[in-house]
Amino acid sequence: MDGILNALILLSNFVIVPGIAYGSQLAIGALGVTLVYGILRFSNFAHGDTMAFGTMATVLLTWALQSWGVSISPFPTALLALPFGIICTILVCLAADRWVYRFYRREKAAPVVFLIASIGVMFVLNGLVRFIIGPDDQRFADGERFIMKAREFKRLTHFNEGITIKTSQGLTVVTAAIVVIALFWFLKRSRAGKSMRAFSDNEDLALLSGINPERVVMITWIIAAALATIAGVLYGLDKSFKPFTYFQLLLPIFASAIVGGLGNPLGAIAGGFMIAFSEVTVTYAYKKFLAYALPGDWAPQGLVQLLSTDYKFAVSFVILVLVLLLRPTGIFGGKAV
Amino acid sequence: MNGAEDYLIGEHLTGGYGGANILHDCNIGVGRGEIAVIVGPNGAGKSTAMKAVFGMLNLREGSVRLDGKDITGLTPQARVAKGMSFVPQNHNVFTSMSVEENLEMGAFIRRDDFTDTLGQVFDLFPILKEKRRQAAGELSGGQRQQVAVGRALMTKPKVLMLDEPTAGVSPIVMNELFDRIIEVAKSGIAILMVEQNARQALRIADKGYVLVQGRNRYTDTGAALMANPEVRKAFLGG
Ligand SMILES: Nc1ncnc2c1ncn2[C@@H]1O[C@H](COP(=O)(O)OP(=O)(O)O)[C@@H](O)[C@H]1O
Ligand SMILES: [Mg+2]
């Protein structure tokens, strides 16, 4: 019996807890992608670098605050800097819309033209971030590191294995829950949110109802920028901030949004968790887990790892390809916010 | 039928979708509390004429006047603000939104309390009140058309433009819808409507326009057109 429980604790520690945290980060990222798709009707390839930009702005202010001795310990200082990062990112997104996307909107350009334009924006943001903060790994997490340490867990219980919950993980899940509830409240109940859904559902009829498309687009960028920054900062606190990693995050984020159905916010959340758990479960080495779970001498010799962590992006890619082949509108049905 | 000028007038409307002209010197008008009906074969340009009047078509020539004022240069949104409302032929409801949300979106430009108008629409179409929480995409064809007309009424328009409001509904529902439209007209709203069911529509029309290949072929009162043997033969099936 203890064997099974130890196995479950082990699994919680290395699969479930990190999976939930990573899933929340992907979900917030995918929500941004899916909202932009629903309203502006293109896949925004600049989203990963928008996350990087927002995180960079937050990191810079965090360092400044730290040097001034400002602290909200046990919480990370970055939380205090987050609103500043969000505002900077909103300004950047609105500028990109003003100088790039609005032109194509007036031209009534095809979605693929927008997509290519967004790749251009991606390169600009990418260069900007590397120019300002550099390409290296940056650490900016401070405050209390753990909510629960494995050692304490073991002391409190009598198990061999323990569960570690990092502050960043707890913070990620709580923030994600707040963000998702606020976003859905906004979309469901507020006048502006309803006008966004109406615009996403039927653009022509929205115009006939007197809904101002430029205003809808502006609100969408504001929300997308905020979501990108929040997702980026949470990911950075959990792992670390390295611009290239954020570019790479584009794949699992798009996979999440597409699996859930582009334009469908609930789908984006479900997709985020699906991708995260696929990645974590496929790259976890089950050796120790099986040693606990199976009777004594059945314990395996090898690592029992399906895929090395180096290949984790392959997981998103395979899922993405499968979904696009079997159900191109995503599992939860795409289009319409 | 002339005399005082009509409330809404489209005059010498000429234009198309970029290439060749679809409309050629087309004239349409409707007075307050009147029902004007546009009929004609498929592809005659009826929907195009409606779009032209609502500012959704680049006109090469012609003008649109509302209450004596030239509105040719106004965007569709600006026309909504001036009291015009349009139910397009296709995709005329927000399918993913509830019936009530559809009506709310109709009232989007209103900053005042529109519960009164909502109540009036529910009185006009009681089924909508019953289904207010249901997604418009889940409703039957006739119910959807009621949502579409209801949405357009939420701005308290002075002009209501309907493009084939009875498309794809049963004869019973069609008569029902026509009765409601007459009710709306009686409240003083000018109604400009395109109809496939020419016979039934001309019966309730104060004015009728028969459009062929983007041109006015016959223009008269509804009753006179119904009585005209040529019109009967060519457009009303004998
Ligand atoms: N969006 C469009 N772009 C180009 N041509 C169009 C468009 N809509 C309609 N047409 C053309 O304009 C003509 C008139 O169409 P329409 O006004 O829809 O006719 P009706 O409503 O009388 O059936 C048709 O020849 C049709 O092919
Ligand atoms: Mg038509």
Side-chain angles (χ1 to χ4, degrees), chain A residues 19-35 47 51 172-173 175-177 179-180 183-184 227-228 230-232 234-235 249 252-257 264-276:
Chain A
I20 290 175
Y22 183 41
S24 309
Q25 291 150 11
L26 287 186
I28 305 176
L31 272 174
V33 165
T34 231
L35 277 183
H47 200 75
M51 283 168 60
T172 293
V173 174
T175 311
V179 164
V180 166
L183 181 65
F184 278 81
L227 289 171
I230 292 169
L234 291 175
Y235 186 86
L249 274 178
I253 284 176
F254 262 91
S256 308
N264 177 344
L266 266 178
I269 296 167
F273 283 102
M274 276 173 62
I275 296 290

Side-chain angles (χ1 to χ4, degrees), chain B residues 17 22 41-49 51 89 164:
Chain B
Y17 299 93
I22 304 285
N42 255 328
K46 304 184 294 294
S47 297
T48 308
K51 286 181 202 163
Q89 184 173 356
E164 301 202 16

Side-chain angles (χ1 to χ4, degrees), chain A residues 28-69:
Chain A
I28 305 176
L31 272 174
V33 165
T34 231
L35 277 183
V36 170
Y37 185 87
I39 302 293
L40 290 118
R41 304 183 207 278
F42 73 94
S43 301
N44 180 16
F45 273 55
H47 200 75
D49 284 284
T50 308
M51 283 168 60
F53 184 91
T55 314
M56 176 195 71
T58 309
V59 168
L60 292 178
L61 184 64
T62 306
W63 286 344
L65 289 171
Q66 285 167 346
S67 73
W68 299 331

Side-chain angles (χ1 to χ4, degrees), chain A residues 191 194 197 201-202 209, chain B residues 91 95-96 101 104 108 151:
Chain A
R191 195 175 117 92
K194 284 181 196 174
R197 282 196 291 135
D201 180 313
N202 188 335
S209 305
Chain B
H91 309 295
T95 48
S96 66
E101 284 172 339
E104 275 175 49
F108 191 79
R151 182 202 63 80

Side-chain angles (χ1 to χ4, degrees), chain B residues 218-220 222-236 238:
Chain B
Y218 300 96
T219 302
D220 214 325
L225 287 175
M226 295 276 284
N228 183 331
E230 283 175 57
V231 175
R232 292 179 73 97
K233 189 149 159 272
F235 303 103
L236 304 178

